[in-house]
């Protein structure tokens, strides 16, 4: 209450990376009329090169925090035994060995490559290898930068519908949104893309187009500077 009283009345504007975060801020007492949504951007694949992916290759990128959904992702992959596929899990943080045990318990460890400590610049070639990127976060994401990075390379994304992803992922056009925690639903959407190369490519190219139209540096800074200019004019 003290924070609301002393701090919010002094703020001219608040910048949020997504409508989801704006809604949370309003719930916590920040007036909605001073909040401006300025989405993040990606500098990946500025040349807009679409590279033929490795066949039926599925990618996860993120922290090894349990809330990022790696266990759920592995369980979803365990339902894909009738398909030919391989997966890369690129994680930062501790606990990767536990996920390897989980994959072993499901009998699919030999189909998943667990990669640790990869440099940010090295991610590009894995986005290019992947035919599908899965974003299975179980907790609401403030935005979900991995998703727009994947889309910049023309890769469709399958994500749980929590927080920010619904703002950059157009369900049925650039990938699929799945109800949070619906492991079977996640698996089914992955299978749908594995079984349909033309749909995978179509969604990927739609995603690349969406990134270039809305999630590049120029768009971000244009919106950001507009907010700054409005505040300066109001103060002066």
């Amino acid at each position: 209450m003290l924070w609301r009283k002393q701090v919010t009345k002094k703020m001219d504007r608040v910048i949020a990376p997504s409508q989801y975060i704006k809604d949370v801020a309003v719930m916590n007492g920040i007036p909605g009329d001073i909040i401006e949504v300025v989405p993040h951007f990606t500098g990946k694949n500025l040349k807009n090169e679409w590279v033929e992916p490795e066949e039926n290759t599925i990618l996860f990128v993120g922290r090894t925090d349990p809330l990022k959904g790696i266990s759920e992702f592995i369980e979803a992959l365990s339902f894909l035994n009738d398909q030919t596929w391989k997966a890369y899990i690129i994680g930062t943080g501790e606990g990767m060995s536990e996920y390897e045990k989980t994959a072993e318990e499901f009998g699919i460890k030999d189909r998943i490559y667990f990669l640790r400590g990869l440099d940010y610049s090295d991610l590009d070639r894995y986005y290019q290898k992947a035919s599908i990127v899965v974003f299975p976060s179980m907790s609401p994401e403030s935005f979900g930068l991995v998703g727009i990075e994947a889309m910049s390379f023309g890769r469709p994304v399958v994500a749980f519908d929590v927080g920010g992803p619904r703002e950059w992922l157009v369900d049925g056009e650039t990938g699929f949104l799945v109800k949070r925690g619906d492991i079977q639903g996640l698996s089914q959407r992955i299978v749908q893309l594995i079984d349909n190369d033309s749909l995978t490519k179509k969604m990927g190219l739609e995603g690349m187009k969406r990134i270039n139209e809305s999630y590049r540096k120029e768009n971000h800074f244009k919106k950001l500077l507009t907010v700054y200019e409005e505040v300066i004019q109001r103060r002066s």
Side-chain angles (χ1 to χ4, degrees):
M1 291 175 64
L2 179 64
W3 184 85
R4 291 178 187 176
K5 184 176 180 180
Q6 298 298 324
V7 179
T8 60
K9 68 180 182 181
K10 297 178 182 178
M11 296 187 295
D12 293 286
R13 299 297 289 275
V14 174
I15 296 171
S18 63
Q19 182 63 43
Y20 166 73
I21 288 296
K22 178 176 179 177
D23 293 342
V24 171
V26 170
M27 289 172 59
N28 283 276
I30 299 177
D33 59 353
I34 70 168
I35 304 174
E36 186 72 26
V37 176
V38 181
H40 292 315
F41 66 91
T42 178
K44 293 285 189 186
N45 196 25
L46 293 175
K47 294 182 180 180
N48 296 316
E49 295 177 336
W50 189 87
V51 177
E52 189 75 36
E54 294 182 357
E55 188 176 8
N56 299 346
T57 300
I58 309 157
L59 175 66
F60 167 92
V61 177
R63 298 194 311 275
T64 53
D65 185 319
L67 291 176
K68 290 296 182 181
I70 299 179
S71 293
E72 288 76 13
F73 175 51
I74 293 171
E75 185 176 352
L77 292 177
S78 72
F79 293 105
L80 273 61
N81 287 325
D82 292 338
Q83 280 77 24
T84 301
W85 59 270
K86 65 179 176 181
Y88 292 97
I89 293 179
I90 301 175
T92 57
E94 299 178 355
M96 189 74 92
S97 58
E98 293 301 315
Y99 296 119
E100 291 177 326
K101 291 179 183 177
T102 301
E104 189 169 13
E105 289 170 1
F106 281 113
I108 55 174
K109 186 181 178 182
D110 60 334
R111 304 174 81 173
I112 303 176
Y113 298 85
F114 293 87
L115 305 176
R116 304 167 173 83
L118 213 65
D119 288 337
Y120 184 67
S121 59
D122 290 336
L123 285 178
D124 293 14
R125 60 193 178 96
Y126 285 94
Y127 282 128
Q128 290 174 332
K129 283 175 181 282
S131 49
I132 306 161
V133 176
V134 178
F135 192 79
S137 200
M138 291 291 288
S139 63
E141 290 282 342
S142 61
F143 183 77
L145 191 59
V146 167
I148 64 169
E149 289 180 351
M151 286 165 59
S152 76
F153 286 96
R155 303 309 184 227
V157 179
V158 182
F160 283 141
D161 188 6
V162 286
R166 66 166 34 248
E167 297 177 39
W168 45 259
L169 197 166
V170 182
D171 186 40
E173 292 184 19
T174 64
F176 294 112
L177 289 170
V178 179
K179 184 180 178 182
R180 177 188 181 276
D182 183 358
I183 306 298
Q184 289 278 5
L186 190 69
S187 180
Q188 288 168 4
R189 289 306 194 184
I190 294 171
V191 169
Q192 185 175 350
L193 290 169
I194 284 178
D195 288 345
N196 193 331
D197 290 340
S198 61
L199 177 64
T200 300
K201 184 173 182 179
K202 179 182 177 182
M203 284 187 163
L205 293 176
E206 282 295 320
M208 182 184 285
K209 179 182 176 183
R210 181 166 171 78
I211 295 306
N212 290 325
E213 289 176 350
S214 304
Y215 298 100
R216 289 301 189 188
K217 181 171 64 176
E218 294 77 12
N219 305 79
H220 177 86
F221 283 113
K222 182 178 179 180
K223 292 178 180 179
L224 201 62
L225 289 172
T226 298
V227 175
Y228 290 166
E229 288 166 358
E230 288 175 358
V231 171
I232 291 169
Q233 290 173 6
R234 190 174 300 140
R235 287 266 176 159
S236 61

